[in-house]
Amino acid sequence: MENTQTSLNGIKRNTKDLANSVVDTVADKANMSSTDLKAYYETAKEKASDAVENSESFVKKYPFYTVLGAAAVGFLAGAIIRGGRRD
């Protein structure tokens, strides 16, 4: 009986140590992921800013093609939404 109690106490202690280890590992991964996400966000933000600047310069340089492209996209979107029906 005493041997069983000692074994159970050892199992409890090992389980508690394992749980603490898992919590620490998850916390470390979460912190690392947060840092990685911040770097990814900054990179995406810079690329988006570059894309906006390039788009603005294209619109200023080719306003006719921009309006024509917007009209084509609007026409296609309308056709898709309408489903090709002629009501």
Side-chain angles (χ1 to χ4, degrees), residues 47-62:
K47 288 183 179 182
S49 178
D50 291 343
V52 167
E53 289 175 15
N54 290 336
S55 297
E56 288 176 351
S57 67
F58 181 85
V59 168
K60 288 177 183 176
K61 191 172 181 179
Y62 304 105

Short mmCIF file of all heavy atoms in Angstrom, two decimals, residues 47-62:
data_model
loop_
_atom_site.label_atom_id
_atom_site.label_comp_id
_atom_site.label_asym_id
_atom_site.label_seq_id
_atom_site.Cartn_x
_atom_site.Cartn_y
_atom_site.Cartn_z
N LYS A 47 5.14 46.87 -48.03
CA LYS A 47 4.77 46.47 -49.38
C LYS A 47 3.46 47.11 -49.82
O LYS A 47 3.32 47.52 -50.96
CB LYS A 47 4.68 44.95 -49.47
CG LYS A 47 6.03 44.27 -49.44
CD LYS A 47 5.91 42.78 -49.59
CE LYS A 47 7.27 42.12 -49.59
NZ LYS A 47 7.19 40.67 -49.78
N ALA A 48 2.51 47.20 -48.90
CA ALA A 48 1.23 47.84 -49.22
C ALA A 48 1.44 49.32 -49.53
O ALA A 48 0.83 49.86 -50.45
CB ALA A 48 0.25 47.65 -48.08
N SER A 49 2.28 49.95 -48.76
CA SER A 49 2.57 51.37 -48.99
C SER A 49 3.21 51.57 -50.35
O SER A 49 2.85 52.50 -51.10
CB SER A 49 3.49 51.89 -47.89
OG SER A 49 3.82 53.23 -48.12
N ASP A 50 4.14 50.69 -50.71
CA ASP A 50 4.77 50.76 -52.04
C ASP A 50 3.74 50.55 -53.14
O ASP A 50 3.76 51.24 -54.16
CB ASP A 50 5.88 49.73 -52.17
CG ASP A 50 7.09 50.04 -51.29
OD1 ASP A 50 7.21 51.19 -50.84
OD2 ASP A 50 7.90 49.11 -51.07
N ALA A 51 2.83 49.61 -52.93
CA ALA A 51 1.80 49.33 -53.93
C ALA A 51 0.89 50.53 -54.12
O ALA A 51 0.50 50.86 -55.25
CB ALA A 51 0.99 48.10 -53.54
N VAL A 52 0.53 51.20 -53.04
CA VAL A 52 -0.32 52.39 -53.13
C VAL A 52 0.40 53.48 -53.90
O VAL A 52 -0.19 54.12 -54.78
CB VAL A 52 -0.74 52.87 -51.72
CG1 VAL A 52 -1.34 54.25 -51.77
CG2 VAL A 52 -1.71 51.89 -51.09
N GLU A 53 1.67 53.68 -53.60
CA GLU A 53 2.43 54.71 -54.31
C GLU A 53 2.52 54.40 -55.80
O GLU A 53 2.35 55.29 -56.64
CB GLU A 53 3.83 54.84 -53.70
CG GLU A 53 3.85 55.47 -52.33
CD GLU A 53 5.24 55.47 -51.70
OE1 GLU A 53 6.23 55.24 -52.44
OE2 GLU A 53 5.33 55.69 -50.50
N ASN A 54 2.79 53.12 -56.12
CA ASN A 54 2.87 52.73 -57.54
C ASN A 54 1.53 52.90 -58.23
O ASN A 54 1.47 53.32 -59.40
CB ASN A 54 3.36 51.28 -57.67
CG ASN A 54 4.81 51.12 -57.29
OD1 ASN A 54 5.58 52.08 -57.35
ND2 ASN A 54 5.20 49.92 -56.90
N SER A 55 0.44 52.57 -57.53
CA SER A 55 -0.90 52.72 -58.12
C SER A 55 -1.21 54.19 -58.37
O SER A 55 -1.76 54.54 -59.43
CB SER A 55 -1.95 52.14 -57.18
OG SER A 55 -1.75 50.76 -57.01
N GLU A 56 -0.87 55.04 -57.42
CA GLU A 56 -1.12 56.47 -57.59
C GLU A 56 -0.35 57.02 -58.78
O GLU A 56 -0.90 57.79 -59.58
CB GLU A 56 -0.75 57.23 -56.32
CG GLU A 56 -1.70 57.01 -55.18
CD GLU A 56 -1.25 57.69 -53.90
OE1 GLU A 56 -0.10 58.19 -53.83
OE2 GLU A 56 -2.06 57.69 -52.94
N SER A 57 0.89 56.61 -58.94
CA SER A 57 1.67 57.13 -60.07
C SER A 57 1.12 56.59 -61.39
O SER A 57 1.11 57.31 -62.40
CB SER A 57 3.15 56.78 -59.91
OG SER A 57 3.36 55.40 -60.00
N PHE A 58 0.64 55.35 -61.41
CA PHE A 58 0.06 54.78 -62.63
C PHE A 58 -1.20 55.54 -63.00
O PHE A 58 -1.42 55.87 -64.18
CB PHE A 58 -0.25 53.29 -62.44
CG PHE A 58 -0.82 52.65 -63.67
CD1 PHE A 58 0.01 52.16 -64.66
CD2 PHE A 58 -2.20 52.55 -63.85
CE1 PHE A 58 -0.51 51.58 -65.81
CE2 PHE A 58 -2.72 51.97 -64.99
CZ PHE A 58 -1.88 51.49 -65.98
N VAL A 59 -2.06 55.81 -62.01
CA VAL A 59 -3.31 56.52 -62.28
C VAL A 59 -3.02 57.92 -62.82
O VAL A 59 -3.69 58.38 -63.76
CB VAL A 59 -4.19 56.59 -61.00
CG1 VAL A 59 -5.34 57.56 -61.17
CG2 VAL A 59 -4.69 55.21 -60.64
N LYS A 60 -2.02 58.58 -62.26
CA LYS A 60 -1.68 59.92 -62.74
C LYS A 60 -1.09 59.88 -64.15
O LYS A 60 -1.34 60.77 -64.96
CB LYS A 60 -0.70 60.58 -61.78
CG LYS A 60 -1.34 60.98 -60.48
CD LYS A 60 -0.32 61.57 -59.52
CE LYS A 60 -1.00 61.89 -58.19
NZ LYS A 60 -0.02 62.37 -57.19
N LYS A 61 -0.33 58.83 -64.43
CA LYS A 61 0.32 58.73 -65.72
C LYS A 61 -0.63 58.25 -66.82
O LYS A 61 -0.54 58.70 -67.97
CB LYS A 61 1.51 57.76 -65.62
CG LYS A 61 2.42 57.76 -66.81
CD LYS A 61 3.66 56.93 -66.54
CE LYS A 61 4.60 56.94 -67.73
NZ LYS A 61 5.81 56.15 -67.47
N TYR A 62 -1.57 57.35 -66.47
CA TYR A 62 -2.50 56.77 -67.46
C TYR A 62 -3.95 56.85 -66.96
O TYR A 62 -4.58 55.83 -66.70
CB TYR A 62 -2.15 55.30 -67.71
CG TYR A 62 -0.74 55.07 -68.16
CD1 TYR A 62 0.20 54.54 -67.30
CD2 TYR A 62 -0.35 55.39 -69.47
CE1 TYR A 62 1.50 54.31 -67.72
CE2 TYR A 62 0.95 55.17 -69.90
CZ TYR A 62 1.87 54.63 -69.01
OH TYR A 62 3.16 54.40 -69.42
#
